[in-house]
Amino acid sequence: MTTRPAVVIKSKFIAGSNGGTSFNNYLNYMDRAETHDKVNDFEKYQDYMSNEEKSTGLFTSNKDSLSDEDKEYFKEEFKKAQESGSVLWQDVISFDNEWLKESGVLHEQNIDTKQIQDATRSAVQDMLKKEGMIDSAIWTGAIHYNTDNIHVHVAIVQTKNFKERGKRKQGSIDSMKSKVANKIIDRSKHNEKLNVFIRERVIDSKRDDPLLSLKNQVMNRELVRQFKKVHQLLPEDKRMWRYNMNALKEVRPEIDKLTTLYIEKNFKEEFKDFQKQLEKEVEIHKRMYGNSEKSENYRETKMTDLYTRMGNTILKEASAYDGKQKELGRKSNKKPSAFFVQRDLNKAVYLVNRYAKDDWENAKNQKAYEELQKEQEYER
């Protein structure tokens, strides 16, 4: 069964000209109540958007509502833009009302207009930046609730540096959709939890916990054996020792195996929590976008990030280990003795585990501190 998208954006544009329909009439259409007459819908658009029975009224990038004087100002600016040859961009951001209820934005007949306005601002700002219009565009928006789906109408024009073409990059439109959805349910904090596990729990800990430490020599011999295997399989040219290099195509599965072993040994329970959170995010993505392929790509991206970062950390350690062995060989003009090889191996593993433990303890202490802060705030 296909999941209905939580957010849909429809866009079109109209080229301005001296003899064409004035853009301020477009704003008039947004502001008038007579929406049943289809003779000249374009001219009635602003009245329509400001109709209290169907709309929350006009808002902009820095105002939640517009006075009559504000409306006149924008009508005049839209008129000037039209006469100067600006394109008029029209976007409709439509929501699935059930999703808005799930997100806490819609409760019975009450709409959290501020949250929708802020989400719209974030989306429009991002799009204008991507299109190189951040310093040349002005826009108005209005939230409509007179249909089965609450939606936002956005009208954009330029006041200078006019674009000749109205067509925008598809990536800019897709990004608008993403910004709206993420702003409403604030997924940034949840995404950050996934990134913290990858970059702080695992990667930073691994950098300070060499795989060839004495501890691993004694307790994690499988890790040591796998590290040595990876080292032996690496090509002579160290410039190729980057995880995503084609030269490591055959070695990459062994690097991934070492990553999996390391996580299993050091972060077994934390990794389970990471996977649960990741699955939750995938389901939320499916709900937001109604596209399982994009959702699966989200999961793949996070897992790839984890294994790539970990892989490069392992390769950096292997490079340091390899350099030391060759340096010892040059100094003694012979192959390093088994004693020195084992010593360096032990030292590497020891450092990796030591730093991993320290970082993990710091992370747990930070988490406990944050929970205490939340409790204190709640008690207030």
Side-chain angles (χ1 to χ4, degrees), residues 46-60:
Q46 180 163 334
D47 287 335
Y48 170 63
M49 289 186 76
S50 290
N51 181 3
E52 292 183 358
E53 295 181 1
K54 302 175 181 179
S55 167
T56 59
L58 296 173
F59 68 94
T60 64

Side-chain angles (χ1 to χ4, degrees), residues 7 9 93 95 99 115-116 118-127 129-130 171-187 288-289:
V7 181
I9 294 183
I93 307 170
F95 301 97
W99 179 74
Q115 199 165 356
I116 293 180
D118 286 345
T120 302
R121 290 178 177 123
S122 177
V124 174
Q125 183 82 356
D126 182 72
M127 182 276 296
K129 185 176 181 180
K130 284 181 167 55
S172 299
I173 305 300
D174 292 341
S175 182
M176 282 183 70
K177 181 177 178 180
S178 177
K179 286 288 183 180
V180 168
N182 282 307
K183 187 71 174 180
I184 284 181
I185 58 177
D186 193 11
R187 301 316 303 165
M288 285 164 57
Y289 305 117

Side-chain angles (χ1 to χ4, degrees), residues 3-16:
T3 303
R4 185 176 183 179
V7 181
V8 174
I9 294 183
K10 295 183 179 179
S11 304
K12 64 179 181 178
F13 63 89
I14 301 171

Side-chain angles (χ1 to χ4, degrees), residues 150-316:
I150 292 172
H151 55 281
V152 182
H153 286 270
V154 178
I156 306 168
V157 294
Q158 287 183 289
T159 58
K160 60 182 180 179
N161 302 328
F162 303 102
K163 283 181 171 288
E164 294 182 2
R165 298 182 60 200
K167 187 175 181 180
R168 292 170 290 182
K169 297 186 288 289
Q170 185 59 44
S172 299
I173 305 300
D174 292 341
S175 182
M176 282 183 70
K177 181 177 178 180
S178 177
K179 286 288 183 180
V180 168
N182 282 307
K183 187 71 174 180
I184 284 181
I185 58 177
D186 193 11
R187 301 316 303 165
S188 58
K189 294 180 181 178
H190 300 278
N191 289 331
E192 185 58 27
K193 288 182 180 179
L194 297 176
N195 292 335
V196 164
F197 174 80
I198 294 173
R199 298 171 189 178
E200 296 181 16
R201 299 288 200 273
V202 180
I203 303 305
D204 286 353
S205 296
K206 170 62 194 67
R207 286 174 182 151
D208 298 330
D209 182 15
L211 291 165
L212 304 182
S213 66
L214 180 59
K215 183 198 76 172
N216 284 335
Q217 289 286 328
V218 176
M219 301 178 63
N220 301 323
R221 294 181 180 178
E222 189 177 5
L223 278 176
V224 175
R225 286 195 296 269
Q226 186 63 24
F227 178 80
K228 290 180 178 180
K229 182 177 181 180
V230 168
H231 178 253
Q232 290 171 356
L233 292 173
L234 292 171
E236 280 294 321
D237 190 349
K238 282 190 176 182
R239 292 175 298 178
M240 301 293 104
W241 291 20
R242 296 291 297 173
Y243 181 81
N244 287 318
M245 295 290 284
N246 290 332
L248 297 189
K249 182 178 180 180
E250 302 300 325
V251 188
R252 203 172 295 128
E254 298 298 333
I255 299 174
D256 290 346
K257 182 178 179 180
L258 180 53
T259 293
T260 301
L261 284 171
Y262 184 84
I263 292 173
E264 180 70 18
K265 292 286 184 182
N266 294 280
F267 301 100
K268 186 174 182 178
E269 295 304 317
E270 291 82 358
F271 187 57
K272 288 180 181 178
D273 291 339
F274 170 82
Q275 290 177 308
K276 288 179 182 178
Q277 181 64 39
L278 184 56
E279 289 304 314
K280 183 178 179 180
E281 292 301 311
V282 169
E283 290 305 313
I284 290 172
H285 269 246
K286 289 179 181 178
R287 186 70 183 90
M288 285 164 57
Y289 305 117
N291 188 324
S292 59
E293 182 178 351
K294 284 186 177 179
S295 302
E296 293 304 320
N297 287 343
Y298 178 82
R299 179 196 287 109
E300 183 179 344
T301 297
K302 286 298 178 185
M303 293 303 294
T304 298
D305 185 35
L306 171 60
Y307 276 80
T308 299
R309 289 174 181 272
M310 187 65 175
N312 281 324
T313 302
I314 290 169
L315 289 168
K316 187 175 180 180

Side-chain angles (χ1 to χ4, degrees), residues 83-125:
E83 291 173 348
S84 299
S86 171
V87 172
L88 170 66
W89 288 273
Q90 304 169 46
D91 296 297
V92 179
I93 307 170
S94 181
F95 301 97
D96 175 22
N97 285 3
E98 290 302 314
W99 179 74
L100 289 180
K101 292 177 183 178
E102 294 169 10
S103 304
V105 176
L106 179 63
H107 180 67
E108 295 180 348
Q109 300 301 314
N110 298 317
I111 306 171
D112 188 341
T113 56
K114 179 63 174 175
Q115 199 165 356
I116 293 180
Q117 286 178 339
D118 286 345
T120 302
R121 290 178 177 123
S122 177
V124 174
Q125 183 82 356

